[in-house]
Amino acid sequence: MLFIRLWMFFAGVLATLFLGWAALIGVPGVQLASVPAQPGLRPYTYEEMHGREIYMREGCVYCHTQQTRPQGFGTDQKRMWGRPSVPGDYVYDRPHLLGTSRTGPDLLNIGARQPSRDWHLAHLYNPRAVVPESIMPRFPWLFEEKTGTGPQDVPLAPGSHIVATREALDLYAYLLALNRTYPVRRAEP
Amino acid sequence: MKAPPLEQSPELVSLRRVLDESAAVPVLLFFATGVLWLLAGTVFGLLTSLKFDMPDWLAAIPALTFGRLRPAHLNAVNYGWASLAGAGCLLWLTSRLCMTPVRLRGGLIASVILWNLGVLYGTGAVLLGYGGSVEWLEYPLPAAAMIGAAFLLFAASILQTFRMRSVQHLYVSLWYTVACVVWFPFLYVAANLPIYSGVVHGAVNWWYGHNALAVWFTPIGLALAYYFIPKVIGRPIYSYYLSLLGFWSFALFYNWNGIHHLVGGPVPNWLQTISIIASVLMVIPVMAVAVNHHLTTVGHFRHLRSSPTLRFTVFGAMCYTAVSFQGSLESLRGMQEVVHFTHYTVGHAHLGVYAFLTMILFGAMYYITPRVARWNWPHPGLIKLHFWLTAGGISIYVIAMCTGGILQGYAMNESVRPFAQVIDLTRPWLIARSASGILITGGHLVFAYLFAQMLIHAGPRRETAPWEEAAA
Amino acid sequence: MILPPRSRYHFSYGHFDTELRYRRMNVPPATLLLVVLSICGAALALAAFVWAVRTGQLDQTNAGGLVIFDDEEPAGTPSGPIFPKRKEGAGL
């Protein structure tokens, strides 16, 4: 019968998966390993990295993408979500947060589209206070209630007792850093 | 069919009992813990869905925020329920098809324990905020390492049982089984290496995410369907020759599909195109499998009424055909432009992992459990209830999510529509999804109740012993 | 509207389109490597298939479907748990 030579079966089985790995990971890995960062891109600061961790911790990636599609493929640009992203825009992203779901808008350029700190803090505290239709979760644990606010505290609104924690401020710093509006300077694969 | 059976020996009758006994403890452990994860995962899933409808409900508890519940659901049902139950089924099946007792049973017990600890640790970590935000690979590395080690122990047992086989011919289900225990460790290790960043990480992510289906979950489902459909009907599969073609084209094409999750994204165009081509080529293995499964069943539909196993398995096999064609279509650029990033993808995923795989696992467990637990299923009425709740629930689920997803996709591509309108548009479909989730949860509670009754040998005992039921 | 459009954000396509044209002319070596690889793979698969047919590996394959049946659970008889027959006729 067919598998008189059993090793052939195993060799074939392993070869199929290895071929797929070589083609889908190995080759692009080599091809993209040499892609330099776009000149307009800078590494994340400490605060932004911390904010990025909050972004990962709260699972923002399950509702928001960070990839914009080319013209003629969807209407990302007409929605002001930004020019098509290229590999050089992601060199400092580890892990990647490309995302697969747009329950909420793309955030690759949210820092350029919406730089207001007050807006972001109010939105994170209760999205429905800002956008009534929103189904985004609230993140009240990124804020704390204080009886008296000091000068370095960032209250939600003037006079409010609800102030942003370090986590909320760093998350805002990260959102502000999400800004790939610089022009693409280098040809990329 | 007139051809003489290939294995003819009087000892077989008692041999089957020996085999079942050898498999009993590990298989029941895999099943029982799998059912527990099914319940946990279902609760996470239902909560996730309700969060869309009532975003302010339980909104102050960090562990129950949407962004943590969703990965907890995905991981608990995949690494917990589907993997554990699937592993149990494969153990029993391998012993049956090799006609030899399950080997390395001590290792299997260790495997179950390690596996469950890994899933518990990983899911807990995700809920507490230590998830990695890389879909399908959220677990912290130690949890992934535990699951990987547990899988190696399981694979060792399968391969050792396979090596000690007392049969000449390797049935098609065995090819899928042996192949997947060789494939999955390679895949899991390669994807978990902490060396990737940027868009390459994205490619690795989806190479893995899709391949978890291609080299682990789908082979389980196909191995079981290839065995149980002919076995329950009592008639060999329609064309064994085709199953061969199906296996090798499956092995060649399926694991190239993953990058279709990034169509339109920042990965090189040639890479996306390759994955789209491979996705379309999947039509070949799918046709081979579909012809075999469906033409074996044709003309024997009356068995669907009498056999719970067949009912679940045939439902699953039909959904395999459906989900595969849907997947090939969905990968095309024109379709991706609309449905990428929408709830359509979620509907598709559930058609695959639930309507196909989980339904076949239910069917297989209805067949295997009486043999290894030496007790018959009580309450046939509840089994039917289980079927109708889950089959009805998942049908509503898939229809709601796919319709809602297409509408969402078209609305999102109409740039003049404010985003808030897109949200409003999907709302009724998300409510329908939650309703279907309640049905499915009900079905799972019924199943868990039945399964517990089997374990403690409760409920009315039926006259015949399970192994004497053949001539019904 | 979810947001008042904040027009700090400007973007022009012109630059990117030039890049696109440039990219199209440039066949990445990875693609060439892949084409060569896949041709080799296809040749191997073809050779394996020819070998299988020549040496009779595929003869009698259909008998393989019968190995799951034997004396105890013969072909032609359904197996597995069944719903007990109800007097009023089996319902769903």
Side-chain angles (χ1 to χ4, degrees), chain B residues 146-390:
Chain B
M146 283 155 88
I147 294 177
F151 193 94
L152 284 181
L153 287 170
F154 160 74
S157 164
I158 291 271
L159 290 177
Q160 180 64 9
T161 310
F162 175 74
R163 218 164 70 89
M164 308 305 276
R165 69 194 176 279
S166 66
V167 296
Q168 271 288 306
H169 180 87
L170 308 181
Y171 187 64
V172 47
S173 297
L174 263 184
W175 314 339
Y176 281 102
T177 307
V178 172
C180 78
V181 300
V182 178
W183 276 331
F184 189 71
F186 175 83
L187 176 76
Y188 200 56
V189 172
N192 271 297
L193 293 178
I195 55 171
Y196 310 106
S197 66
V199 284
V200 178
H201 195 198
V204 171
N205 186 181
W206 288 110
W207 175 74
Y208 174 78
H210 205 88
N211 275 359
L213 292 164
V215 311
W216 175 227
F217 292 124
T218 308
I220 296 177
L222 292 186
L224 295 174
Y226 263 125
Y227 182 75
F228 286 114
I229 293 180
K231 190 69 187 171
V232 172
I233 295 180
R235 170 193 196 203
I237 53 170
Y238 180 76
S239 163
Y240 202 71
Y241 194 91
L242 259 186
S243 69
L244 200 79
L245 174 78
F247 176 80
W248 285 109
S249 49
F250 177 93
L252 265 178
F253 302 144
Y254 207 158
N255 69 79
W256 290 59
N257 282 9
I259 313 299
H260 66 207
H261 287 260
L262 294 171
V263 168
V267 291
N269 249 320
W270 63 265
L271 198 56
Q272 304 173 20
T273 308
I274 281 187
S275 271
I276 296 174
I277 294 172
S279 310
V280 175
L281 282 174
M282 276 306 286
V283 168
I284 298 170
V286 169
M287 280 301 282
V289 169
V291 163
N292 257 337
H293 288 172
H294 305 323
L295 291 189
T296 307
T297 323
V298 160
H300 297 260
F301 285 115
R302 65 178 187 285
H303 293 303
L304 293 182
R305 289 187 149 222
S306 59
S307 163
T309 299
L310 198 65
R311 198 182 275 199
F312 278 99
T313 312
V314 167
F315 183 89
M318 294 192 324
C319 290
Y320 177 67
T321 312
V323 74
S324 306
F325 283 126
Q326 190 194 23
S328 297
L329 272 181
E330 193 178 345
S331 70
L332 299 178
R333 281 200 167 82
M335 187 85 176
Q336 275 295 294
E337 184 179 357
V338 178
V339 300
H340 199 189
F341 305 134
T342 69
H343 297 307
Y344 188 91
T345 317
V346 183
H348 175 66
H350 283 77
L351 186 56
V353 180
Y354 195 93
F356 157 53
L357 178 69
T358 297
M359 291 304 255
I360 286 187
L361 286 175
F362 285 143
M365 286 169 78
Y366 276 120
Y367 192 98
I368 298 171
T369 318
R371 285 157 204 267
V372 291
R374 299 186 144 251
W375 193 259
N376 267 351
W377 289 104
H379 314 305
L382 284 185
I383 300 184
K384 289 177 189 170
L385 183 66
H386 172 212
F387 178 77
W388 288 112
L389 282 176
T390 48

Side-chain angles (χ1 to χ4, degrees), chain B residues 3 6-7 12 16 230-232 234-235 240-241 244 274 303 305-306 308 366-367 371 380 384 388 419 462 469-470 472, chain C residues 2 34 58 61-62 64-73 75-84 86 90-92:
Chain B
L6 295 187
E7 264 96 27
L12 277 177
R16 275 213 169 75
K231 190 69 187 171
V232 172
R235 170 193 196 203
Y240 202 71
Y241 194 91
L244 200 79
I274 281 187
H303 293 303
R305 289 187 149 222
S306 59
Y366 276 120
Y367 192 98
R371 285 157 204 267
K384 289 177 189 170
W388 288 112
F419 200 85
R462 277 156 50 195
E469 260 185 33
Chain C
I2 28 173
L34 220 72
L58 299 180
T61 23
N62 270 341
L66 284 163
V67 299
I68 57 171
F69 301 106
D70 52 39
D71 283 352
E72 190 200 0
E73 293 180 350
T77 332
S79 74
I82 50 155
F83 297 123
R86 278 207 256 134
L92 290 178

Side-chain angles (χ1 to χ4, degrees), chain B residues 83-105:
Chain B
S83 293
L84 284 166
C89 291
L90 288 189
L91 279 174
W92 182 87
L93 191 64
T94 308
S95 151
R96 256 311 144 84
L97 291 174
C98 294
M99 280 295 170
T100 191
V102 170
R103 306 301 159 114
L104 303 183
R105 286 194 289 272

